[in-house]
Amino acid sequence: MRGLSLLLFITVVSDATTDLYVTAASLPPELGVSAAPAVTSPVASRYIPEEYGHPGIALARSAEEPAAPSEEDGESSHHHGGGFKIVQWEWSYVQTPYIIASWLLVASVAKILFHFSQRFTTAVPESCMLILLGLVLGAVVLIASNKQPYQLDPGLFFLFLLPTIVGDAGYFMPARLFFDNLGAILMYAVVGTLWNAFCTGFCLYGVKMAGAIDEKVNAGLMDFLLFGALISAVDPVAVIAVFEEVHVNETLFIIVFGESLVNDAVTVVLYKVYISFVEVGPGNVHTADYFKGIASFLVVSIGGTLVGLIFAVILAFVTRFTKKVRIIEPLFVFLLVYLAYLTAELCSLSAILSMTFCGIGCNKYVEANISQKSRTTVKYTMKTLASIAETIIFIFLGISAVDKSKWAWDTGLVVSTLIFILVFRAMGVVGQTWFLNWFRLVPLDKIDQVVMSYGGLRGAVAFALVVLLDKEQVKAKDYFVATTIVVVFFTVMFQGLTIKPLVKWLKVPRSTNRKPTINEEIHERAFDHILTAVEDIAGLNGYHHWRDKWEQFDKNYLSKLLLRKSVYHKSELWEAYQKINIRDAISVIDQGGNVLTSARLSLPSMASRTSFPEVTNVTNYLRENGSGVCLDLQVIDTVPGAKIEEELETHHVLAGNLYKPRRRYQSHYSRHFMTVGEKERQDREVFQRNMRNRLESFKSTRYKRHKKDRSQKKRKGSDAKEQDTNDKPRRNVSWQDKDPAVVPVASEEDKHDPSEPDKDDDVGITFVARKAPETPKERPKSGEKNLPWKSGMGSLPPCVSVEATKIIPIDLQQAWNQSISSLESLASPPAPPEPQHPRVSTLSRLGGPLRTPAKGKSSGSAGSGSNTGSPSSGQFKFPTGKEEEEEGALSQQQHEMQPLMSSLRPPPPPPPPPAAQSAGKRRNPCVYLRSLVTMPPSGAEPQSRRPTQL
Amino acid sequence: MGSTSSTLLKIPNVEVLMQETGFSPAHIIRLHDRFKALDKKGRGHLCPQDFGAIKELAMNPIGDRIIGAFFSPGKETVDFHTFVKILAHFRPVDKNRPKEPNSPEPINSRSNKLRFAFQLYDQDKDGKISRDELLKVLRAMLGMQVTEEQLESIADRTIQEADLDRDDAISFEEFRKVSPEILHSRCFIKAPVIMLMERDC
């Protein structure tokens, strides 16, 4: 069955290809050019001149193929004058796009076919299959036409195919991981490539001298060095293609992959230097030229990087202002990233480096600036393009290998090249690793080295470079081409095929896709914290020290410039998370504040979520989940089945809320870079808690008070500053920033509330010893803070704490009733986990832990009281509307929530706020926002629960 | 080199220490310098306040526990020997260490590292991580956004997951069973903090 469809394909493709070449031949050139707007024009035009000599053959041949209508359509333009035709065959008109589309179709269907058999695809990497398919296609076309229509065209490759792959790789590069391993990557990329290039070049020359290479291979030392340079570079396309299927651990992957990207600069420079040397002739090369070569290397690589970074800044800056034109946001991303590539190419700098760094550099800011939908678009489009380009490259490789006229075989050269690249790669890796391991925190062990040596795949870059050689200057070009093809095929096919079993056999630590268990999650963090602490105690500072410096700089200047004002103060995921938290918290409190078990909390607002289309779920899943190395082109396809929901939920609670260790060696990287803002907050939060704790246990009241005062002063100072920068009405913009300092204080204060003695003992270590003398001192402060709206509230039920009031700026009586009614069900121990609809759980991942339970509850709440739904939704609506009015800050998120909100709006209008309250209303949104952020739920919870206990 | 040996000489029992911990002389000197730097008053031992003076440690959610781990129960001070021995937990596991059947397990063995981590949880030293103990750690490590009930359900879940003998607590054996996976795949315990120092020396 599969064979049959494959055959079908081949015929289709061969038809298409012959068509191209027939029409190219028979078309008047100007028409051919004008009909070829973009991509394949290099290909088409390339073959026009060659074919022009023998249109007869082409036409005759196409006539043999019944499916090919080429004869007529080729002629159609000529027949045009012959009279009016009802239907015309406009092949020449659609030819180029038609062929491109057919190519893409073939490539995509080929992928589908490969994935029919699970067992087959696990054993054979896709790249091998594609090359094989290419070989078959090429052979068919060759046999059919006696002339090979396609070859991997360097222009096409470098201008269109490579950028899509590199762009994808750069943009989704796990930046943290990349920079953590930057030293190793640079080392392997620069030193390793140079080593490979020189050794291979010299040794081949030596072999030639020794006579093992045929006399016909007319090449001198320079030629061999040139060849060595182009054959020595590890190829990003091949590496991605093979390694993503092998799933080695992240560090190993990033090193090999980073190397393959960065060594492009080295290869290109070496290549150019040698070309120019070959041009002037080896005799005329002066010493100065060698230095020029070195200088050129520096200029090319650093220049390329700079160009990339400049474009990254431009891109980030542009996306700052796209709020009104969301639709073209993704376009900006593609255009500017691509322009970075082209610009570098224009100045003959390293385009790959430029694009890579543009991607790495802009990712953080762009992702924060653009909307969630745009993010999804960018992601899908990039992955699609990259996947297609990769497919085409491999098919092309196969096809171009078929044409024997392009290459000449010499066994000696081929064999010795193969041996040399393998041997020198291994030697280079071992030597460099030995050196690097002196410095690396986590040394690369022997198994890693084996995989790295073995993973040195050569690919399309080498092939394109060798095809680019000028036969006039490099006499042995045909031999080099043949050797390159063999090397590429050997590395991609043989090594690609065997690397998986090898990795299995060597028991290389793989990257695990499965979710870590809760235990691991917790212990992992704990271990990280431990190590961090031990480092602090031992007084070490290295790489992380500078990282911190950079982050400071980033926070103070770069982010300010490149991020939207509204985003600047909050990292994007954090923001989304907060928003959802807020919404849920409102409903929770509306319902009596009791519904928060980690497993289920039911919010009326969540019900509408289930109606979200499946795609959203997948995307969200990806977004949540994309923390690992996410260069996997297939990543989009992996939709997990419904798992154990509760575990996932708990995982998300943990993942979202665990303090991130300040230094993580084995970070699992988050593509969305939410850590910066969070870190800051977290550090302060933890600092605060710890200091407090320590102050108490570490005696000396005077010392304590002194320190406390100082920190308080600091806090005040920062508060004041903030107020300066953001004028008053905007306070809600900075709410999230203000907070951590205030947080513990306020919450503790509240807990200390004399009216609530019973909760004390399970408050936890950090809160236990709280009899701090400064508490009373502080209280006025926080009281003052709360007072305005407190008074606005009118008389409060005595037992409702300040915090709770802030959050429920509606009719308290009503909330009260609800809470009481909902208490009945909650008074009993937390209900056993009910099975959740898989989709709900998927959805829940979007918002982190809090939202998950939403659905279950909504159904529950419907049962518990018909009243419950309406006030909460009214409540929910109120602040958000307000928000929008006051500041567009959150509107981005809201924009996306639109469907949700609209579904929420219809329900009965919110109860008219009491007169007293309306006075305070203007401030309320920010108030309640802030209070939610600042107030730890753990604090809020006992309070809102208090009614029950009373 | 002369200064090296003279510094070493100042440290009592340095030979024994090196043998026990596996630190090189350079390590010991480095650690000694650090020890002296921490010991601001020059008393020859450290007390909790000395650790508290390390600014970064205050940012560490479980920093206090780690400080606590340096002090054996009832003691208010830690001398250089103990200090080094504790730090020795964090040396990378040396694979090439000759295996002598009679020699005691090295401090930096995997299980000793685990035990160190375990005792950070197990504050009452009863050999089990109870639910309360776990809760306390979680509370320290989790951000402010997590509610008490969420905390509790996480703790329950964690214990349930690891608890093989159904005593509602995690024993060291159970702890060890749930941990190897992490150790293996992410090898943080392996992360050779002390290696770094080699560079500085």
Side-chain angles (χ1 to χ4, degrees):
Chain A
M1 181 64 201
R2 219 169 44 179
L4 214 154
S5 41
L6 240 169
L7 241 169
L8 235 165
F9 261 152
I10 290 162
T11 16
V12 170
V13 176
S14 59
D15 287 354
T17 49
T18 19
D19 288 351
L20 164 66
Y21 121 99
V22 168
T23 32
S26 50
L27 270 182
E30 65 278 8
L31 218 174
V33 171
S34 67
V39 181
T40 40
S41 62
V43 184
S45 54
R46 186 185 160 90
Y47 290 100
I48 288 173
E50 288 174 34
E51 287 310 318
Y52 237 65
H54 335 271
I57 304 172
L59 290 179
R61 225 197 32 62
S62 71
E64 292 163 18
E65 310 228 16
S70 36
E71 187 158 22
E72 272 155 87
D73 66 69
E75 306 298 311
S76 67
S77 52
H78 302 294
H79 291 312
H80 210 279
F84 181 77
K85 283 172 122 186
I86 298 175
V87 180
Q88 286 178 26
W89 195 266
E90 295 282 7
W91 170 246
S92 56
Y93 184 57
V94 296
Q95 171 205 333
T96 312
Y98 203 89
I99 287 173
I100 297 170
S102 319
W103 265 114
L104 300 188
L105 185 68
V106 171
S108 315
V109 179
K111 279 202 165 192
I112 300 182
L113 291 178
F114 296 153
H115 288 279
F116 261 135
S117 161
Q118 195 69 39
R119 221 167 353 138
F120 189 63
T121 35
T122 46
V124 183
E126 212 177 80
S127 45
C128 297
M129 284 313 304
L130 291 173
I131 286 191
L132 282 180
L133 175 66
L135 279 174
V136 173
L137 287 184
V140 168
V141 176
L142 191 71
I143 293 165
S145 68
N146 285 325
K147 193 79 188 155
Q148 189 228 7
Y150 284 122
Q151 192 161 28
L152 185 56
D153 179 77
L156 171 69
F157 175 73
F158 280 115
L159 289 182
F160 300 104
L161 296 178
L162 188 58
T164 50
I165 294 173
V166 174
D168 173 66
Y171 191 75
F172 295 112
M173 172 82 77
R176 174 72 201 269
L177 213 52
F178 181 79
F179 286 109
D180 277 355
N181 293 295
L182 191 61
I185 291 172
L186 284 180
M187 174 99 178
Y188 289 119
V190 177
V191 182
T193 308
L194 286 178
W195 155 267
N196 282 348
F198 283 118
C199 290
T200 313
F202 280 116
C203 287
L204 281 177
Y205 184 65
V207 171
K208 164 99 162 110
M209 290 289 100
I213 294 176
D214 200 287
E215 284 302 315
K216 281 180 294 185
V217 183
N218 183 10
L221 177 59
M222 272 303 161
D223 297 313
F224 278 119
L225 284 176
L226 174 60
F227 180 63
L230 67 86
I231 202 74
S232 61
V234 177
D235 182 70
V237 183
V239 166
I240 301 179
V242 168
F243 269 70
E244 77 177 14
E245 295 181 33
V246 178
H247 295 299
V248 292
N249 58 68
E250 293 149 9
T251 319
L252 201 51
F253 177 81
I254 201 72
I255 289 179
V256 177
F257 177 57
E259 175 198 350
S260 70
L261 278 179
V262 177
N263 69 12
D264 161 72
V266 183
T267 316
V268 170
V269 171
L270 273 183
Y271 181 78
K272 281 181 182 156
V273 169
Y274 285 137
I275 288 261
S276 60
F277 284 179
V278 170
E279 269 169 17
V280 297
N284 302 329
V285 178
H286 304 294
T287 334
D289 292 334
Y290 293 109
F291 288 105
K292 276 186 197 159
I294 296 171
S296 153
F297 164 70
L298 292 177
V299 169
V300 165
S301 49
I302 296 175
T305 309
L306 280 183
V307 168
L309 292 179
I310 289 170
F311 270 90
V313 170
I314 296 175
L315 173 55
F317 193 68
V318 166
T319 52
R320 213 184 132 171
F321 304 103
T322 51
K323 199 170 130 197
K324 297 275 163 60
V325 282
R326 290 273 188 223
I327 299 286
I328 56 169
E329 268 174 350
L331 191 62
F332 276 118
V333 177
F334 298 127
L335 285 183
L336 279 161
V337 171
Y338 189 42
L339 275 179
Y341 185 90
L342 291 182
T343 310
E345 196 87 307
L346 180 74
C347 313
S348 66
L349 301 172
S350 169
I352 295 189
L353 273 186
S354 165
M355 204 173 195
T356 307
F357 277 93
C358 181
I360 296 182
C362 74
N363 181 294
K364 170 181 170 183
Y365 309 104
V366 170
E367 293 278 292
N369 280 339
I370 64 179
S371 71
Q372 173 55 38
K373 277 176 188 155
S374 304
R375 265 177 242 159
T376 313
T377 313
V378 169
K379 176 167 181 138
Y380 269 75
T381 317
M382 278 207 178
K383 295 275 178 211
T384 311
L385 287 178
S387 167
I388 288 174
E390 190 195 59
T391 310
I392 292 180
I393 287 174
F394 283 118
I395 292 187
F396 262 129
L397 266 181
I399 291 182
S400 29
V402 175
D403 188 3
K404 209 173 174 311
S405 67
K406 291 281 194 303
W407 44 266
W409 182 269
D410 179 76
T411 314
L413 180 64
V414 169
V415 170
S416 43
T417 308
L418 266 183
I419 293 174
F420 287 142
I421 61 163
L422 287 177
V423 167
F424 288 126
R425 168 89 188 163
M427 285 169 61
V429 166
V430 170
Q432 292 169 81
T433 312
W434 178 82
F435 179 76
L436 281 171
N437 274 350
W438 283 92
F439 299 96
R440 281 185 65 83
L441 266 180
V442 182
L444 298 162
D445 54 22
K446 289 210 178 61
I447 291 175
D448 291 340
Q449 295 174 35
V450 171
V451 175
M452 283 171 62
S453 318
Y454 204 70
L457 306 175
R458 273 50 164 196
V461 172
F463 182 77
L465 287 178
V466 82
V467 168
L468 272 180
L469 287 176
D470 184 356
K471 197 162 181 196
E472 294 303 306
Q473 281 154 2
V474 185
K475 302 282 190 310
K477 177 189 170 184
D478 287 351
Y479 292 97
F480 289 157
V481 171
T483 313
T484 309
I485 290 177
V486 171
V487 166
V488 169
F489 276 36
F490 179 82
T491 52
V492 174
M493 306 276 282
F494 181 74
Q495 297 189 2
L497 265 176
T498 48
I499 197 166
K500 220 171 199 176
L502 181 81
V503 161
K504 244 180 226 154
W505 182 64
L506 289 174
K507 298 199 177 66
V508 178
R510 308 279 204 99
S511 69
T512 43
N513 270 340
R514 108 214 127 69
K515 294 255 171 213
T517 64
I518 309 302
N519 270 288
E520 286 178 23
E521 193 111 6
I522 295 170
H523 301 326
E524 179 183 331
R525 308 280 179 143
F527 289 151
D528 275 357
H529 285 308
I530 294 171
L531 281 184
T532 307
V534 167
E535 255 198 38
D536 291 337
I537 289 172
L540 305 167
N541 255 326
Y543 166 71
H544 297 280
H545 175 71
W546 293 107
R547 237 184 79 79
D548 273 6
K549 283 254 153 83
W550 162 256
E551 290 200 339
Q552 282 304 314
F553 172 76
D554 175 63
K555 182 145 180 56
N556 293 339
Y557 302 100
L558 265 186
S559 293
K560 220 172 242 174
L561 175 71
L562 299 180
L563 288 182
R564 290 190 187 163
K565 274 216 184 73
S566 52
V567 195
Y568 174 61
H569 292 287
K570 21 195 160 165
S571 60
E572 74 278 12
L573 253 186
W574 169 246
E575 184 188 6
Y577 178 76
Q578 278 302 326
K579 232 181 117 54
I580 288 141
N581 250 356
I582 287 163
R583 190 193 303 166
D584 290 358
I586 291 169
S587 324
V588 169
I589 289 160
D590 276 357
Q591 292 164 16
N594 240 345
V595 255
L596 274 184
T597 60
S598 91
R600 42 226 68 259
L601 107 138
S602 40
L603 304 175
S605 65
M606 299 300 290
S608 58
R609 252 161 209 254
T610 35
S611 62
F612 266 29
E614 196 67 38
V615 191
T616 330
N617 298 350
V618 178
T619 338
N620 293 335
Y621 173 76
L622 283 174
R623 193 161 70 97
E624 271 305 296
N625 220 9
S627 54
V629 181
C630 227
L631 288 161
D632 190 348
L633 294 176
Q634 246 90 60
V635 77
I636 286 169
D637 307 335
T638 56
V639 185
K643 290 188 187 173
I644 321 142
E645 282 93 20
E646 197 179 348
E647 190 158 339
L648 282 182
E649 255 156 49
T650 320
H651 163 78
H652 287 298
V653 173
L654 283 172
N657 289 297
L658 271 174
Y659 287 131
K660 311 272 184 302
R662 277 179 307 119
R663 302 166 179 182
R664 286 179 302 165
Y665 304 115
Q666 217 80 13
S667 68
H668 60 143
Y669 141 82
S670 150
R671 206 180 324 113
H672 297 275
F673 294 95
M674 54 171 287
T675 37
V676 186
E678 178 122 22
K679 257 196 168 145
E680 175 89 354
R681 179 191 61 82
Q682 150 190 332
D683 278 355
R684 274 203 263 165
E685 204 171 295
V686 177
F687 181 80
Q688 193 85 17
R689 278 204 297 187
N690 280 353
M691 279 326 280
R692 176 177 302 272
N693 203 8
R694 205 170 291 158
L695 289 175
E696 270 131 30
S697 48
F698 291 174
K699 62 199 154 210
S700 155
T701 335
R702 201 169 52 83
Y703 174 65
K704 176 165 61 176
R705 194 178 301 144
H706 171 66
K707 195 91 186 217
K708 186 76 218 170
D709 284 347
R710 242 183 23 199
S711 76
Q712 212 171 319
K713 225 180 281 165
K714 223 191 273 171
R715 204 156 64 217
K716 269 185 198 150
S718 70
D719 264 10
K721 228 198 295 178
E722 251 156 43
Q723 256 156 6
D724 282 348
T725 47
N726 318 317
D727 34 343
K728 243 184 290 149
R730 293 199 163 190
R731 279 188 78 176
N732 54 345
V733 180
S734 59
W735 46 272
Q736 99 130 354
D737 193 17
K738 310 205 76 130
D739 45 305
V742 190
V743 177
V745 182
S747 66
E748 276 179 42
E749 228 76 270
D750 286 328
K751 269 203 210 124
H752 248 335
D753 212 328
S755 67
E756 193 201 11
D758 46 351
K759 264 280 137 176
D760 244 349
D761 30 1
D762 78 283
V763 174
I765 27 161
T766 39
F767 296 108
V768 180
R770 226 181 304 95
K771 282 275 101 79
E774 61 266 37
T775 312
K777 234 193 292 177
E778 267 176 348
R779 172 163 290 179
K781 190 187 169 209
S782 72
E784 192 178 83
K785 255 191 152 129
N786 297 333
L787 267 176
W789 47 87
K790 201 172 172 184
S791 61
M793 272 325 180
S795 61
L796 302 169
C799 49
V800 175
S801 82
V802 175
E803 294 289 349
T805 336
K806 278 192 287 178
I807 294 163
I808 320 182
I810 50 153
D811 189 347
L812 282 168
Q813 197 53 46
Q814 196 175 354
W816 193 250
N817 293 339
Q818 282 159 25
S819 66
I820 294 209
S821 74
S822 58
L823 277 174
E824 263 116 50
S825 55
L826 290 158
S828 52
E834 330 153 15
Q836 234 177 345
H837 193 288
R839 191 187 282 180
V840 181
S841 68
T842 328
L843 268 172
S844 70
R845 295 189 195 108
L846 168 72
L850 270 181
R851 288 152 99 231
T852 313
K855 191 225 180 152
K857 177 48 167 260
S858 66
S859 56
S861 70
S864 72
S866 59
N867 214 4
T868 330
S870 53
S872 69
S873 55
Q875 182 51 23
F876 163 58
K877 175 193 166 193
F878 154 64
T880 34
K882 202 69 188 161
E883 272 295 293
E884 240 159 7
E885 220 178 276
E886 288 200 5
E887 156 73 46
L890 293 171
S891 70
Q892 177 186 347
Q893 232 72 31
Q894 266 154 11
H895 194 66
E896 277 146 26
M897 300 299 177
Q898 215 55 260
L900 233 183
M901 296 182 35
S902 61
S903 72
L904 282 168
R905 249 157 214 172
Q917 201 195 325
S918 68
K921 189 179 176 182
R922 229 199 102 68
R923 288 197 72 174
N924 263 337
C926 56
V927 166
Y928 104 88
L929 275 178
R930 286 188 52 226
S931 63
L932 265 174
V933 177
T934 54
M935 178 196 52
S938 57
E941 186 115 19
Q943 279 139 23
S944 42
R945 211 201 273 172
R946 197 170 314 121
T948 345
Q949 285 151 358
L950 293 176
Chain B
M1 226 54 228
S3 69
T4 305
S5 48
S6 65
T7 318
L8 275 184
L9 284 180
K10 277 185 229 151
I11 307 167
N13 288 332
V14 73
E15 294 297 323
V16 183
L17 192 59
M18 273 158 50
Q19 180 144 32
E20 277 176 6
T21 60
F23 279 125
S24 69
H27 283 141
I28 298 277
I29 290 168
R30 168 73 203 241
L31 287 177
H32 193 66
D33 290 346
R34 180 65 183 167
F35 185 83
K36 278 192 292 190
L38 289 180
D39 180 18
K40 291 208 177 65
K41 292 175 192 148
R43 289 166 301 194
H45 56 77
L46 300 179
C47 50
Q49 288 94 321
D50 293 323
F51 286 104
I54 303 172
K55 210 175 75 213
E56 294 87 358
L57 218 50
M59 309 258 192
N60 200 321
I62 54 171
D64 287 339
R65 280 163 186 265
I66 291 157
I67 295 176
F70 279 82
F71 301 91
S72 45
K75 271 195 163 179
E76 277 298 297
T77 59
V78 54
D79 60 5
F80 183 62
H81 263 245
T82 327
F83 181 74
V84 173
K85 268 192 207 162
I86 304 263
L87 286 180
H89 282 106
F90 299 95
R91 282 185 59 239
V93 181
D94 14 44
K95 286 183 184 148
N96 308 327
R97 199 185 177 90
K99 279 209 176 135
E100 302 158 32
N102 301 331
S103 68
E105 213 179 352
I107 297 178
N108 59 340
S109 74
R110 177 160 290 180
S111 81
N112 270 336
K113 286 176 180 183
L114 272 181
R115 200 169 281 283
F116 185 87
F118 183 78
Q119 65 167 17
L120 292 184
Y121 290 92
D122 180 24
Q123 294 280 293
D124 63 4
K125 311 253 186 287
D126 65 348
K128 278 177 184 169
I129 303 175
S130 67
R131 187 167 174 277
D132 277 345
E133 285 165 339
L134 190 64
L135 262 182
K136 282 178 188 165
V137 177
L138 281 176
R139 211 174 280 128
M141 289 206 306
L142 278 163
M144 289 291 191
Q145 292 82 21
V146 182
T147 64
E148 197 61 26
E149 286 180 29
Q150 282 176 316
L151 269 186
E152 279 168 22
S153 55
I154 292 173
D156 287 341
R157 170 91 213 169
T158 311
I159 289 181
Q160 195 187 332
E161 203 178 83
D163 189 18
L164 298 175
D165 56 8
R166 313 225 163 270
D167 61 350
D168 282 334
I170 304 177
S171 68
F172 180 65
E173 270 314 303
E174 289 160 350
F175 183 75
R176 190 216 286 270
K177 281 220 175 67
V178 291
S179 300
E181 189 65 36
I182 333 168
L183 295 188
H184 197 69
S185 59
R186 322 227 167 159
C187 66
F188 1 36
I189 283 217
K190 209 181 130 199
V193 178
I194 302 300
M195 275 277 285
L196 257 184
M197 304 194 332
E198 213 138 54
R199 201 177 357 159
D200 299 14
C201 289

